[in-house]
Amino acid sequence: MALYIVKRLGRALISLCLIIIVVFVLLRQMPVEGYFAAFDKMTPIQVENGLRKLGLLDPLPVQLINFFGQLVRGNLGISTRYRQNYPIMRIIAQKAPFSLRFGLIAVGVSIPIGLALGVLMARRKGGAWDRMGTVYIVFMQAVPSAIYYLFLQLYGTQALNISLLYNPDKWQTMILPVISLSMPSVAYFAMWMRRYTVDEANKEYIKLARVKGVPAMAVWFRHVFRNAVVPIVQLIPNSLLLTLAGSIYVESLYSIPGMGGLMVDVIKRQDNTMVQALVIIFAVLTIVGLLLGDMAMALVDPRISLTKKSEAR
Amino acid sequence: MFNEEFAARPADSTTPDVVLSIVDLHVKFRLRGQVLHAIRGISLDIVKHETLAIVGESGAGKSVLMKNLCGLLDPNGWVDSGGIMYEGMNLAAFKSEKDWSRIRGKHVAMVMQDPMTSLNPLKTIGWQIEEALKYNQQLRGSAARKRMLELLADVGIPDTDKRSRQYPHEFSGGMRQRVVIAIALACNPKILICDEPTTALDVTIQAQILKLIHDLKEKYGLTLIYITHDLGVVANVADRIAVMYAGDIVELGTCEEVFFDPRHPYTWALLSSLPQLGTKKQDLYAIQGTPPNLFQPIRGDAFAPRNPWALAIDFQHRPPYAAVSLTHRARTWLLDTRAPTVEPPSAVRSIRTLFDRGAFAGDSARR
């Protein structure tokens, strides 16, 4: 197991380095105005001096090595346009906790609800739960989230008698953003859980379990449910990350100072260093998510032999 | 000789050792709004400690018939009429899982066709055997573990302690089927249904598994029911053979009677298509046509359209059972006193000589 994790980490590190190189090289092709807050008012000489100061006139490999050196020390560079001359790490350190808190709570809420809904749907195919669940899932997939987010904000805040916007000092104002973030996740988990549960319930070993005298409820919990959850486990880390990155709209609706809208913002403002830093951060998150998913999978499924392949006898 | 009452109460029902009695069973399925008549009035007694083989081509209803004995009928199927009498209970009237839980395991256990899919991939095989012990013999903890290891040894798995901690994917197909058999034995059943237990295995393993099942039958005093389409397997293991066609038993007799003195044209056709009976440089015999569509009502003998010996009456009226001996009956008009004498095909008549020459390999599995 330990060896597998080390190997898997090594591979993750290699992919990460490749991503960083590609992103770095591509962003160097961007117009240079992205490095200066007041480019329009600068003379060409000022621009050249500025670029030299930033080390951008060095040959590309040298720049790359310098950049990696900075990364190892935990330095993502400084913002040039978004917040002039402000370390990017500090910007993120202020914003990430909000997104993380909302993301974790939303995923924490949607997993049990989504799995329960999925199982209820699968228990009686075509039954009342199945139909209601299908309507819900189709609604979530088909209707643009803006519509129900807005409805929820308007009528939710009225019903709960709270302010429209998020207020860190009032926990009640967290309820509606969390519900908004959970709604699509619940549909996602329910959809996959239903599918995996139906798959497992129709397998031969379930018949054998029944015919060997295991009571129906025990068959459901110990065989069907247990085995249907396994592929779901792999989805969880990535779903968390998707909630983090995909919360743009919810965060702006409730004006939560999170990371959701940051990426779009800095691209619009052509803040090259910020774009670079954020792409790298999201790449890290995705790779870590996949890694965690694989490791969680390995923990719950004995068929994934991690170290060496043992022959069946 | 040909009265209907006799047909409904087969010859062997008077023997005291009948453990399970299927009486005029009709099973139907609803499929896409149509009704399929899968089992069309089967009566069959299962005798204690016997090995009964049910043979027939795919779709004949072999598996459906046996699923009725352990409540595994698909939700779109139902018993239309008839009964399955077992220890004073009518299994055909069972509806809920709770009813069936009294029968499954302790009374009827099953070995399924494909050992690659019939074990839970995420549980150790020891766990899966102990689960059966827990519900059927109330064994837990170290007592269950001890018995589980004994069972593994019984089905011929070496190194039981280590193997019991392994998962199904660490076993080969033959070994997995041994585990499935161990699970069935852990239920301590009276009747064991083996649904094509060797079909998914390669030929060298087949004989081993058949011998194992036979030995365990003696050791545990089981009543065995084999479902198979492989007459070669049947020849080696069965005491009695029931030949099924289109949801009906067309011939029932002891192994010797069905092989050496078959009476139903379908049994002739089935036997003629045995590869062991083929002659060199000639095409192997194949039954013409396809089985009847069970969505439509069957008129007369279901086999008549494919039967080269069919009489005019075969297309009009369903033949009754005719007794050939106390243990042998067939559902064909050819056994009627008014019917012309028809000789079975020559290939079928030569079976006995082939059998004596050992053409049916793997005879070691029997006794």
Side-chain angles (χ1 to χ4, degrees), chain A residues 204-205 207-208 210-216 218 222-223 226-227 230 301-303 310 312-313, chain B residues 97 104-105 112 117-122 127-128 131 135-136 162-163 167 169-172 183:
Chain A
E204 283 289 300
Y205 71 84
K207 266 188 219 159
L208 187 77
R210 285 167 70 200
V211 86
K212 77 183 179 186
V214 181
R222 276 212 298 270
H223 293 276
R226 166 71 173 73
N227 291 11
V230 167
D301 191 337
R303 281 169 299 183
S310 55
R313 282 186 285 164
Chain B
E97 289 284 306
R104 289 177 186 153
M112 267 155 340
T117 57
S118 50
L119 291 169
N120 186 333
L122 302 183
W127 187 95
Q128 298 188 50
E131 192 184 32
Y135 287 111
N136 297 298
K162 181 179 158 228
R163 294 299 249 162
Y167 292 92
H169 69 274
E170 294 169 272
F171 287 74
S172 65
I183 289 174

Side-chain angles (χ1 to χ4, degrees), chain B residues 205-218:
Chain B
I205 307 295
Q206 282 185 5
Q208 289 177 21
I209 296 291
L210 289 178
K211 178 162 176 5
L212 176 72
I213 294 175
H214 184 78
D215 292 348
L216 292 169
K217 179 209 163 194
E218 298 295 313

